[in-house]
Amino acid sequence: MSENLNLDLPVGELALMPLMGMENFTRKLDSYISSWRVERNSNIKNDNPLYKNYFKESYINMPKLSRFGTGEAKCTLLESVRGVDAYLIVDVTNHSCTYKMFGEENRMSPDDHFQDLKRVIAAINGKAKRINVIMTFLYESRQHKRTKRESLDCSLMLHELESMGVSNIITFDAHDPRVMNAIPLSSFDSISCTYQFIQSLLNSKDDFIIDSDHMMIISPDSGAMQRSIYLASVLGIDVGMFYKRRDYSVVIDGKNPIVAHEFLGSNVKGKDVIIVDDMISSGDSLLETAKVLKDMQAKRVFAICTFGLFTNGFNKFDEAYEKGEIEGILTTNSIYQKEELFSKPWYISVDVTEYLARIIDSLNHDASISAYLDPNEKIHNFVKEYVERKINKIWINNV
């Protein structure tokens, strides 16, 4: 719990505004914040004008998004947003959301979700005290740089939000955090879930030996190297990297096919290896990396990726698990997860709602979130507790 928030006045009345597909996720955030405020600030009276509506059973202010028969849409506000500190929560990858267009069912694309976000901003602009956007998966983040005559979609999106009056943009693990340079005068935070991943991974198995002789962090390509180095440094273990050799003369499904994976690093034989990346799309690259690591006689292969998109389904992952090429895959609940995914023996879901709720609660008081963005101490303490639990278990079994 954020101990010092009772010293800071809230920016405005808190309003959590989920867009389509984020209702359940937002209810979890809401539950955490409402309970914390009662525990933490019981001395504050709700009739205090400086803390207007500070204690509420729910802070959710649900916007209504309606569609016309042509597929066009509009946003209608069902509750007042005058003077609120609004947090718009959107998952642009949620393909489970649908709408009717000319009598036919259509799945919502990332473009549809982004247009809905702008509709909500347009409806509350000029009334809300502050507008914050929590875009769990950064829209168009894979198109973040220009290498030839092509669009620069992520930068355009950020400029649009800035021009519409958005004060803070928060996302999880942006594909390339340097995209924030597109809006240098605006607040942009790309938050990492390193602590949550380590906690979930270590809780899934009680036999990890956390040192460079028994464990190794693997970056599947140069783009994930920074994430891998950070995780390796906090755990105090070695890191290795694969270089993806691609055929740049061919384009398949919008990308150059990988010819081979070249490994740079120390011997992985007999070690538990953890592949670190920001997302699983089709998963082909991840599974190829896992297979190569098993061929190099790695003991077990785990993967931790913030976003599990699984765009080509789960069959290849099932096959890799049955062959022993992958032991476990961890992704967060920050984006839509198919119900089928939870039945997979190789899958571990990482809940980030408490983490995000702490950040929202702090931002609503204009308090620092630095401690949440740099969880080094928490990670070290958790790893220490894990090792102590393991030693105690061994001691009890030997008595």
Side-chain angles (χ1 to χ4, degrees), residues 37-323:
R37 292 192 169 185
V38 171
E39 294 170 16
R40 184 182 64 223
N41 302 90
S42 57
N43 59 316
I44 296 173
K45 302 298 182 183
N46 214 18
D47 58 358
N48 185 331
L50 298 176
Y51 289 88
K52 181 184 177 184
N53 292 327
Y54 189 75
F55 301 107
K56 296 174 71 174
E57 287 187 10
S58 176
Y59 299 95
I60 295 175
N61 186 327
M62 193 80 71
K64 181 182 178 182
L65 290 154
S66 311
R67 293 270 171 180
F68 300 100
T70 57
E72 297 167 294
K74 67 174 181 178
C75 172
T76 306
L77 301 178
L78 303 179
E79 298 179 46
S80 173
V81 294
R82 184 75 61 185
V84 304
D85 187 24
Y87 291 80
L88 281 57
I89 304 165
V90 59
D91 169 19
V92 298
T93 68
N94 193 331
H95 59 281
S96 71
C97 300
T98 61
Y99 63 92
K100 285 283 183 74
M101 180 174 174
F102 292 95
E104 295 183 1
E105 201 77 18
N106 283 268
R107 288 186 181 274
M108 286 186 68
S109 71
D111 293 343
D112 291 320
H113 283 291
F114 182 57
Q115 285 300 119
D116 276 354
L117 173 65
K118 292 194 290 183
R119 291 181 180 107
V120 178
I121 294 171
I124 66 176
N125 221 341
K127 306 168 190 69
K129 188 168 186 178
R130 186 173 70 173
I131 300 174
N132 311 272
V133 168
I134 298 174
M135 187 180 288
T136 52
F137 182 98
L138 191 64
Y139 175 70
E140 292 289 3
S141 59
R142 300 172 81 175
Q143 185 53 25
H144 62 285
K145 61 183 178 182
R146 178 180 285 157
T147 55
K148 47 190 173 184
R149 291 182 179 177
E150 56 190 9
S151 58
L152 199 53
D153 298 61
C154 193
S155 175
L156 285 172
M157 177 273 296
L158 293 173
H159 276 287
E160 276 192 272
L161 294 185
E162 182 182 50
S163 67
M164 293 184 78
V166 173
S167 298
N168 295 306
I169 301 170
I170 301 163
T171 191
F172 283 96
D173 212 355
H175 190 61
D176 187 339
R178 290 174 297 183
V179 75
M180 70 177 72
N181 294 334
I183 48 169
L185 300 181
S186 293
S187 175
F188 177 100
D189 286 298
S190 174
I191 59 179
S192 176
C193 311
T194 309
Y195 172 73
Q196 287 72 25
F197 274 124
I198 291 174
Q199 185 182 45
S200 299
L201 178 65
L202 297 187
N203 283 339
S204 71
K205 305 283 181 183
D206 62 0
D207 60 348
F208 285 113
I209 302 174
I210 308 170
D211 61 35
S212 289
D213 293 328
H214 299 89
M215 185 179 279
M216 192 172 182
I217 303 298
I218 302 294
S219 174
D221 53 36
S222 58
M225 198 60 190
Q226 187 173 351
R227 299 181 187 92
S228 301
I229 290 173
Y230 176 74
L231 183 57
S233 65
V234 294
L235 291 177
I237 58 180
D238 201 1
V239 64
M241 185 190 83
F242 279 93
Y243 167 68
K244 293 178 183 176
R245 191 147 51 84
R246 295 181 181 269
D247 183 354
Y248 290 99
S249 65
V250 179
V251 177
I252 301 175
D253 293 333
K255 57 186 178 182
N256 305 106
I258 298 168
V259 177
H261 289 79
E262 308 289 351
F263 182 66
L264 304 172
S266 58
N267 193 357
V268 301
K269 184 177 179 180
K271 296 179 182 179
D272 287 323
V273 295
I274 305 168
I275 303 171
V276 179
D277 211 347
D278 61 330
M279 72 177 74
I280 298 171
S281 185
S282 67
D284 292 342
S285 179
L286 169 66
L287 295 177
E288 176 94 20
T289 302
K291 185 180 184 305
V292 172
L293 288 167
K294 287 299 288 185
D295 290 342
M296 296 167 63
Q297 301 182 42
K299 181 182 175 183
R300 294 179 296 190
V301 179
F302 297 87
I304 58 175
C305 303
T306 307
F307 308 111
L309 300 170
F310 300 104
T311 55
N312 289 353
F314 306 123
N315 291 340
K316 290 182 181 179
F317 296 90
D318 292 336
E319 291 172 13
Y321 177 74
E322 288 167 8
K323 292 177 182 177

Side-chain angles (χ1 to χ4, degrees), residues 366-391:
D366 242 355
S368 172
I369 60 172
S370 297
Y372 303 125
L373 302 181
D374 185 15
N376 273 17
E377 188 176 346
K378 284 186 71 176
I379 293 171
H380 289 145
N381 290 338
F382 184 80
V383 170
K384 183 180 177 182
E385 289 172 10
Y386 175 84
V387 172
E388 289 174 354
R389 285 201 309 268
K390 185 177 174 183
I391 292 171

Side-chain angles (χ1 to χ4, degrees), residues 17-31:
M17 305 185 72
L19 274 75
M20 192 178 294
M22 290 300 275
E23 296 88 352
N24 291 335
F25 184 85
T26 305
R27 287 188 193 101
K28 289 185 176 182
L29 300 175
D30 185 47
S31 176

Side-chain angles (χ1 to χ4, degrees), residues 16 21-36 89 134 136 172 191-193 195-197 199-200 331-335 337 349-362 372 378:
L16 303 177
M22 290 300 275
E23 296 88 352
N24 291 335
F25 184 85
T26 305
R27 287 188 193 101
K28 289 185 176 182
L29 300 175
D30 185 47
S31 176
Y32 279 120
I33 296 172
S34 60
S35 63
W36 290 339
I89 304 165
I134 298 174
T136 52
F172 283 96
I191 59 179
S192 176
C193 311
Y195 172 73
Q196 287 72 25
F197 274 124
Q199 185 182 45
S200 299
T331 69
T332 71
N333 65 340
S334 62
I335 63 170
Q337 299 164 296
S349 179
V350 179
D351 190 351
V352 297
T353 50
E354 182 180 356
Y355 177 40
L356 183 56
R358 293 185 187 280
I359 290 173
I360 293 172
D361 196 23
S362 296
Y372 303 125
K378 284 186 71 176

